[in-house]
Amino acid sequence: METMIIEGDFTTEKALEWKKLLNKAAQRTSTLHLDLSATEDADIVGVNAIATTFKMLQDKDGSMKLKINEDSTIYKLLSQTKFLDMIKKS
């Protein structure tokens, strides 16, 4: 299991940088724990980064767990897409 902590801005530019790191992590491990509890702002690019990584893990029978603040923008976006229903929260 690998843990990654995403803090601060998780919008377009930063989210694209994180997407590369998340996808590399998904290649290395079968279980990824994302700590998003200190994420301040997010957009659809951040959602895409998480979804893409989740799909990579799922394709190899892996899993993803999230630590997330329920008052955060990323939580609201993931909830709207029904994505949180598919991921384990810690």
Side-chain angles (χ1 to χ4, degrees), residues 43-44 47 72-85:
D43 63 12
I44 195 66
V47 170
S72 68
T73 302
I74 191 68
Y75 182 89
K76 292 172 187 165
L77 289 170
L78 291 171
S79 293
Q80 289 173 348
T81 64
K82 306 293 184 201
F83 189 72
L84 286 177
D85 297 339

Side-chain angles (χ1 to χ4, degrees), residues 5-90:
I5 301 169
I6 299 175
E7 298 176 317
D9 191 30
F10 196 45
T11 55
T12 305
E13 189 174 322
K14 287 291 183 184
L16 289 172
E17 291 173 20
W18 272 109
K19 183 176 182 175
K20 291 176 188 175
L21 296 172
L22 292 168
N23 288 344
K24 286 180 184 179
Q27 292 171 349
R28 288 190 304 267
T29 187
S30 60
T31 303
L32 185 59
H33 182 204
L34 290 182
D35 183 342
L36 300 166
S37 59
T39 301
E40 295 170 6
D41 195 15
D43 63 12
I44 195 66
V45 180
V47 170
N48 177 268
I50 294 170
T52 302
T53 303
F54 176 76
K55 176 71 168 116
M56 289 176 69
L57 290 164
Q58 194 175 45
D59 286 349
K60 62 180 196 177
D61 295 322
S63 64
M64 177 185 284
K65 291 183 181 182
L66 296 180
K67 181 177 181 183
I68 190 167
N69 179 348
E70 293 185 8
D71 293 329
S72 68
T73 302
I74 191 68
Y75 182 89
K76 292 172 187 165
L77 289 170
L78 291 171
S79 293
Q80 289 173 348
T81 64
K82 306 293 184 201
F83 189 72
L84 286 177
D85 297 339
M86 300 185 313
I87 297 179
K88 297 177 185 176
K89 290 186 281 180
S90 62

